[in-house]
């Protein structure tokens, strides 16, 4: 959007994103999340993941995946509505698996004794008779770093350079950054507080895997909302059928009343006089 933009690179990136969506069947994930928002009034979700392309390689593919159960996502309630600005600070995605599968994945972790209560939290619901509940936990940590603005206008993150690469400028009036043997004068530097996204897999009382760094500054979970509005500080979600509920209740009540009245009608046999059935006695008897 500015004079430094590269239209050719923009087209390459756009093509890469299209390829990710095509390989992931992303339209299914989008439609599923939209269906949840339309039908239930509660946000649907989809997510971004990275997976190894093959078993014998270190190459990873970016994938877009749907979340079939919208109620297994527990977002940060204070920032969930700022998620489009990267405001989601933490989020859980839970999964319930059988004990046999859990023992296969985590053979070193004991299942027995997990019904005890954790500090400040009741673990009921996490551990049932034949299942174990685990959760992916995404959260952000504050990381302090220094950024440098070089003479050519580029900005370098201190986490990507080594201290020995920063040397006094040849004129002795500042500092330079050595890149591939060439000194680049540093015009400005400042310390910033950045956020690093972390991921770990947890049960109700311990960490099974992680924490690991997520390769991005956003928690890779995206909600899909229907209509929302806030009244007196409380947020309400609206599905497509929200406005039809009262009309449907009236219809259901009317049909129920009709059924009740029909069921309570006395089953009185037909009454006739002998003159009315004269000549048709055999049919009446049948």
């Amino acid at each position: 959007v500015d004079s430094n933009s590269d239209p050719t690179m923009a087209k390459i990136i756009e093509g890469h994103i299209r390829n990710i969506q095509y390989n992931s069947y992303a339209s299914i994930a989008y439609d599923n999340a939209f269906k949840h928002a339309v039908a239930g009034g509660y946000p649907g979700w989809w997510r971004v993941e990275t997976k190894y392309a093959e078993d014998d390689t270190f190459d990873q593919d970016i994938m877009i995946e749907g979340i079939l159960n919208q109620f297994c996502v527990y977002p940060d309630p204070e920032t969930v509505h700022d998620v489009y600005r990267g405001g989601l600070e933490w989020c859980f995605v839970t999964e319930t698996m059988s004990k046999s599968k859990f023992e296969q994945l985590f053979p070193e972790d004991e299942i027995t004794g997990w019904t005890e209560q954790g500090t400040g939290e009741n673990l009921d619901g996490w551990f049932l008779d034949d299942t174990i509940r685990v959760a992916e936990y995404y959260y952000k940590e504050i990381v302090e770093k220094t950024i440098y603005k070089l003479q050519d206008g580029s900005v370098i993150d201190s986490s990507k350079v080594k201290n020995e690469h920063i040397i006094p400028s040849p004129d002795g009036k500042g500092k330079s950054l050595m890149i591939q043997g060439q000194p680049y004068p540093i015009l400005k530097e400042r310390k910033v507080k950045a956020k690093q996204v972390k991921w770990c897999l947890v049960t109700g009382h311990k960490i099974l895997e992680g924490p690991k760094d997520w390769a991005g500054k956003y928690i890779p979970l995206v909600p899909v909302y229907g209509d929302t509005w806030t009244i007196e500080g409380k947020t309400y979600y609206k599905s497509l059928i929200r406005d039809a509920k009262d009309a449907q209740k009236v219809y259901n009540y009317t049909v129920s009343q009709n059924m009740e009245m029909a069921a309570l009608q006395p089953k009185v046999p037909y009454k006739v006089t002998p003159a009315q059935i004269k000549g048709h006695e055999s049919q009446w008897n049948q």
Side-chain angles (χ1 to χ4, degrees):
V1 296
D2 56 26
S3 59
N4 294 323
S5 64
D6 185 347
T8 301
M9 181 57 66
K11 290 182 179 179
I12 293 174
I13 294 174
E14 182 181 16
H16 185 50
I17 294 174
R18 289 177 182 272
N19 183 65
I20 291 171
Q21 295 185 100
Y22 178 81
N23 292 335
S24 305
Y25 298 96
S27 60
I28 298 177
Y30 300 154
D31 290 345
N32 183 69
F34 178 73
K35 179 185 68 175
H36 287 163
V38 168
Y42 190 82
W45 293 83
W46 55 272
R47 67 189 303 173
V48 180
E49 288 190 326
T50 57
K51 293 185 177 181
Y52 287 106
E54 302 290 344
D55 294 337
D56 55 353
T57 181
F58 290 97
D59 297 332
Q60 295 191 62
D61 291 332
I62 300 174
M63 305 293 291
I64 294 174
E65 294 192 347
I67 296 179
L68 296 179
N69 180 9
Q70 67 196 108
F71 299 107
C72 74
V73 182
Y74 296 82
D76 173 13
E78 292 188 356
T79 59
V80 67
H81 301 295
D82 296 327
V83 69
Y84 299 115
R85 297 193 293 269
L88 196 64
E89 293 294 320
W90 56 262
C91 192
F92 288 94
V93 182
T94 65
E95 177 188 358
T96 301
M97 64 178 67
S98 64
K99 287 186 176 181
S100 60
K101 180 180 179 181
F102 184 89
E103 291 173 337
Q104 181 181 359
L105 295 175
F106 309 101
E108 298 179 358
D109 291 283
E110 294 290 338
I111 295 180
T112 58
W114 284 9
T115 55
E116 63 186 16
Q117 292 185 356
T119 303
E121 182 179 9
N122 191 332
L123 302 184
D124 291 345
W126 281 77
F127 310 106
L128 305 177
D129 293 338
D130 299 319
T131 60
I132 298 294
R133 194 180 183 199
V134 298
E136 295 178 77
Y137 177 34
Y138 290 93
Y139 61 98
K140 293 180 179 178
E141 283 188 350
I142 301 297
V143 179
E144 292 188 356
K145 60 182 180 180
T146 304
I147 57 175
Y148 305 101
K149 184 176 182 180
L150 305 184
Q151 195 173 37
D152 61 356
S154 61
V155 178
I156 301 295
D157 186 341
S158 62
S159 63
K160 299 179 181 179
V161 299
K162 297 181 179 179
N163 292 332
E164 57 265 27
H165 291 167
I166 301 176
I167 61 174
S169 297
D171 57 7
K173 296 182 179 180
K175 295 185 291 185
S176 295
L177 180 63
M178 294 294 294
I179 301 177
Q180 296 181 349
Q182 296 293 326
Y184 288 81
I186 297 175
L187 299 183
K188 296 180 181 180
E189 68 175 86
R190 71 184 183 97
K191 294 184 180 297
V192 297
K193 291 184 177 180
K195 293 183 178 180
Q196 173 63 53
V197 178
K198 299 281 189 177
W199 172 93
C200 57
L201 187 67
V202 301
T203 62
H205 81 295
K206 70 176 297 185
I207 296 176
L208 297 173
E209 294 183 15
K212 301 177 182 178
D213 290 342
W214 167 254
K217 62 180 180 179
Y218 304 113
I219 291 177
L221 294 161
V222 182
V224 178
Y225 295 101
D227 287 340
T228 61
W229 68 97
T230 302
I231 300 176
E232 296 181 351
K234 184 177 181 180
T235 301
Y236 297 86
Y237 302 96
K238 183 178 179 181
S239 67
L240 182 66
I241 62 175
R242 177 71 173 249
D243 294 333
K245 288 176 64 177
D246 290 337
Q248 185 66 38
K249 288 179 181 178
V250 173
Y251 175 78
N252 292 346
Y253 175 79
T254 303
V255 172
S256 298
Q257 286 292 98
N258 290 339
M259 292 295 295
E260 183 179 3
M261 293 176 62
L264 295 177
Q265 287 287 344
K267 294 180 174 57
V268 180
Y270 295 104
K271 295 183 178 180
V272 294
T273 65
Q276 290 175 304
I277 60 171
K278 185 175 182 181
H280 301 282
E281 290 84 359
S282 62
Q283 293 177 330
W284 175 258
N285 293 332
Q286 295 176 0

